């Protein structure tokens, strides 16, 4: 396991038990983002880096009983918190690295990724892996329940032009990784980027 994985697991593992209590106001933002994602009944969707599974309930509601919902995370404590919260009933939880998903090519219709991109050790390669498991024409949502400026302020730092999630950086990164960005929203109360898998 790489240094990056160890750091991510240690960081989130130590915070998993209190994660939902620390951010109790995020649930409506997750539900709104999933609604804007435009999933259809029967779709097969992955919550990549699902954490405590806050997106699993709205994802299940969107795809219905005929759909497939998977939640993948690298941190066992986060998946345990999702189970304690009853969210495993909404989809299958996978302890796995989103950089090497145990899924066949084109297995999914969509990937929802909340707060994931900042923690990817190799964003271009990792986004290509997400593209690999999505059918041509399938969709990707990169989400955070607060915007870039609010998140930077929370962490005591300033935004810089090099910020990976800035539109001028993210659009080309997605294009190099098998995706076409179709919308970009960076507001105080949310960050939501939608993209389509190249055909």
């Amino acid at each position: 396991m790489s240094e990056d994985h160890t750091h991510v697991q240690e960081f989130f593992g130590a915070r998993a038990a209190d994660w939902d209590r620390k951010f109790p106001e995020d649930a409506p933002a997750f539900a709104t983002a999933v609604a804007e994602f435009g999933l259809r009944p029967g779709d097969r969707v992955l919550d990549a880096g699902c954490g405590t599974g806050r997106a699993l309930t709205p994802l299940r509601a969107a795809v219905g009983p005929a759909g497939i919902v998977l939640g993948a995370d690298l941190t066992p404590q986060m998946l345990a918190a999702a189970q304690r919260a009853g969210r495993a009933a909404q989809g299958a939880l996978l302890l796995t690295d989103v950089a090497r998903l145990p899924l066949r090519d084109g297995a999914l219709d969509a990937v929802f990724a909340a707060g994931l991109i900042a923690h990817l050790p190799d964003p271009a390669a990792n986004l290509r892996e997400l593209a690999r498991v999505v059918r041509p024409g399938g969709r990707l949502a990169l989400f955070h329940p607060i915007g870039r400026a609010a998140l930077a302020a929370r962490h005591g730092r300033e935004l810089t032009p090099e910020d990976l999630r800035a539109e001028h950086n993210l659009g080309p990164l997605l294009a190099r990784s098998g995706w076409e960005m179709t919308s970009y929203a960076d507001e105080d109360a949310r960050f939501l980027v939608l993209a389509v898998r190249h055909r």
Side-chain angles (χ1 to χ4, degrees):
M1 187 167 291
S2 74
E3 290 286 327
D4 290 312
H5 287 160
T6 301
H7 173 73
V8 167
Q9 286 181 313
E10 289 176 351
F11 179 89
F12 287 105
R15 292 161 175 79
D18 294 322
W19 193 260
D20 287 353
R21 284 192 294 273
K22 189 172 180 183
F23 304 109
E25 69 285 353
D26 287 352
F30 274 81
T32 299
V34 169
E36 290 186 41
F37 196 16
L39 295 169
R40 295 169 300 221
D43 274 354
R44 302 155 299 169
V45 61
L46 169 69
D47 183 0
C50 67
T52 62
R54 292 179 293 172
L56 295 179
T57 298
L59 290 172
R60 171 56 67 196
V63 304
I68 293 173
V69 177
L70 303 174
D73 204 275
L74 188 65
T75 307
Q77 296 94 324
M78 281 289 190
L79 294 179
Q83 289 177 319
R84 285 193 302 274
R87 295 176 183 138
Q90 307 301 323
L93 299 178
L94 306 174
L95 178 62
T96 191
D97 183 357
V98 299
R100 288 184 298 279
L101 289 163
L103 300 170
R104 63 178 169 77
D105 294 359
L108 304 172
D109 298 295
V111 172
F112 184 87
L116 177 70
I117 193 164
H119 301 288
L120 296 176
D122 185 345
N126 302 151
L127 288 167
R128 276 195 296 276
E129 173 66 355
L130 296 181
R132 179 189 69 79
V133 300
V134 172
R135 63 170 174 79
R139 286 158 295 146
L140 171 70
L142 300 175
F143 169 71
H144 199 283
I146 60 174
R148 292 188 309 126
L151 185 62
R154 176 186 287 176
H155 293 296
R157 60 178 173 79
E158 293 185 8
L159 286 178
T160 68
E162 292 77 34
D163 184 356
L164 185 64
R165 288 168 294 181
E167 187 171 8
H168 65 268
N169 294 325
L170 190 54
L173 171 63
L174 287 166
R176 293 193 306 272
S177 305
W179 301 97
E180 178 185 353
M181 187 164 68
T182 58
S183 68
Y184 181 94
D186 180 19
E187 304 156 0
D188 284 346
R190 67 157 187 176
F191 175 86
L192 181 63
V193 172
L194 302 180
V196 174
R197 165 90 152 75
H198 293 318
R199 293 186 180 275

